[in-house]
Amino acid sequence: GDEPGYTQPLMYAEIGRHRSVRKLYLERLLRRGELTPEGAEAVLEDFKRQLDRGFEETKELAGRDPEPIPPSVELEPAPAIATAAPRAALERVVQTLETMPDGFTVHPKLGRLLAKRGQQFENGQIDWAFAEALAFGSLLTEGTRVRLTGQDSGRGTFSQRHAILYDQTDGHAHVPLAHIPGADGEPAAQPGEPPARIEIYDSLLSEYAALGFEYGYTVADPEALVLWEGQFGDFVNGAQIMIDQFIAAAEAKWGQTSRLVMLLPHGYEGQGPEHSSARPERFLQLCAEDNMVVANYTTPANYFHALRLQVRRPVAKPLVVMTPKSLLRLPQAVSRAEDFTEGDYQPFIPSGADGAAERLVLCTGKVYYDVMKAREGIPNPARVAVARVEQLYPFPEDDVRAEIERFAGRPVVWLQEEPANMGAWTFVQPRIEALLPDGARVQYAGRAAAASPATGSAARHAKEQEALLNAALGVGSATADDAAAQTQTRSAPV
């Protein structure tokens, strides 16, 4: 019903005088003798008949009842899927990470680090990057292609991954995980093990283009583990169209599924508003109908199991992970070898405290380690139980309910670092309160609602962090109006 001549009268007058593309093309075919006038007329009449037939069919369809849109396929309970890896396979990965090719000159700092992998594995000091390498390597030995793309992903934004090594004499690259027996087309170490490839690329500075390509790759190769990593979590802003149009909605709109993994560094370390938040609230707002998984893990082992689960799920779903920054090197954020060979995926990690605790704190991600450290400084630390919601969506309702029932009648607190209008607070509040007795409310311990994700002042950040931790532990006082400690301890955000 629109009329382009309203605003472009001269252009569309010229277009109106121009002969149609069909007529021009027909004349060319006639001049070249590739079509006769009778043949051209027959083609045109056949096309018109097809259009008429299609138009009549639309009238018939209009009278039918519309077909129901199939619902999204529900996610199965994760513990039912085995994600542990054989110790022998992990030991093969460790050996590969430690072994350099003949004549390869590794950077001295990296050489010392890589030489300790076996010792770390045996001593239960497996950190985040090491756990990721074990996940990648174990999947490669099982025949699963692994593909990682992002800005500086080969080294890792925080110099933690080092999946690509560079010879210090001539600069040529070496990818250790490509040389696990069975990987990259090499002969398999065990009969029956198919070869698999690992592909690691540092992408251009266009999150929109890179994430869009990797999403398409997951559709074309649904059995591969495909990961896209934002250099910092907030960089994902540049790819918001891909998230809204495809990652969150494609299954509901077209039945198109994907196993894409998004790795988004997230955590409040006083580094300012630009590199603190991966905006988990945006992803949680898009969550419905089991359309994706959104998580904020606290242990390397749980990250390991999550990556293996992503491949083994019978139902493909995107996975969004708020990955750590400071936890990459935190001595407490390590896992044992047994956690990989015998453990499984944990959507929720209970506090482990006995029923004598006076309050239950629920949290997710890096702030768990902050509150545990702060708890050591209060009288009778055992009076505060701290549990971790590792998977925010789908929300682990049964696990959270069981933990709340263990502390029946005691206050339940949600702790987060983000401002009240960000992070998981508005998402988890109604879900937690649905598990509480009638009339009970979950308390909030976190920063006050704000326009910016974080303060730009390191000193102010530290005061805010201290206040929100004290609020979670039930010590001291916090005032939402205090600019130096913007923290609320109430049931709903301002």
Side-chain angles (χ1 to χ4, degrees), residues 284-453:
L284 294 173
Q285 188 179 35
L286 293 170
C287 288
E289 301 179 297
D290 278 353
N291 60 335
M292 57 183 169
V293 179
V294 179
N296 194 356
Y297 304 121
T298 60
T299 72
N302 216 17
Y303 177 49
F304 168 90
H305 289 291
L307 294 180
R308 290 178 57 81
L309 175 63
Q310 188 66 2
V311 172
R312 294 191 169 195
R313 290 186 194 277
V315 178
K317 302 285 181 176
L319 169 63
V320 183
V321 184
M322 306 295 132
T323 55
K325 295 179 289 182
S326 62
L327 298 192
L328 294 172
R329 294 177 175 83
L330 186 71
Q332 292 77 22
V334 294
S335 299
R336 306 167 303 151
E338 292 76 12
D339 298 327
F340 300 83
T341 60
E342 301 172 8
D344 54 26
Y345 179 70
Q346 295 178 281
F348 179 81
I349 300 180
S351 64
D354 59 38
E358 298 174 5
R359 65 197 285 120
L360 171 62
V361 175
L362 301 174
C363 63
T364 187
K366 167 249 177 187
V367 75
Y368 165 77
Y369 292 96
D370 294 338
V371 73
M372 293 302 287
K373 182 178 180 180
R375 194 181 74 153
E376 296 173 0
I378 67 172
N380 187 19
R383 69 182 180 82
V384 180
V386 183
R388 289 167 271 180
V389 180
E390 298 278 290
Q391 178 180 289
L392 291 162
Y393 186 83
F395 189 69
E397 180 179 316
D398 292 341
D399 293 334
V400 176
R401 177 188 290 108
E403 186 75 351
I404 289 174
E405 289 176 351
R406 292 181 56 233
F407 303 96
R410 264 63 66 86
V412 177
V413 181
W414 176 259
L415 165 66
Q416 69 176 37
E417 300 180 290
E418 303 86 355
N421 57 322
M422 303 177 196
W425 166 238
T426 55
F427 180 83
V428 301
Q429 183 193 8
R431 288 166 172 80
I432 295 174
E433 290 185 352
L435 307 177
L436 297 175
D438 290 344
R441 306 293 300 275
V442 58
Q443 298 180 20
Y444 169 78
R447 288 174 168 83
S452 175

Side-chain angles (χ1 to χ4, degrees), residues 28-47:
R28 176 171 294 188
L29 293 176
L30 291 173
R31 286 197 303 270
R32 287 161 51 175
E34 297 182 15
L35 195 65
T36 64
E38 295 77 16
E41 188 67 23
V43 169
L44 180 60
E45 288 300 319
D46 180 64
F47 182 59

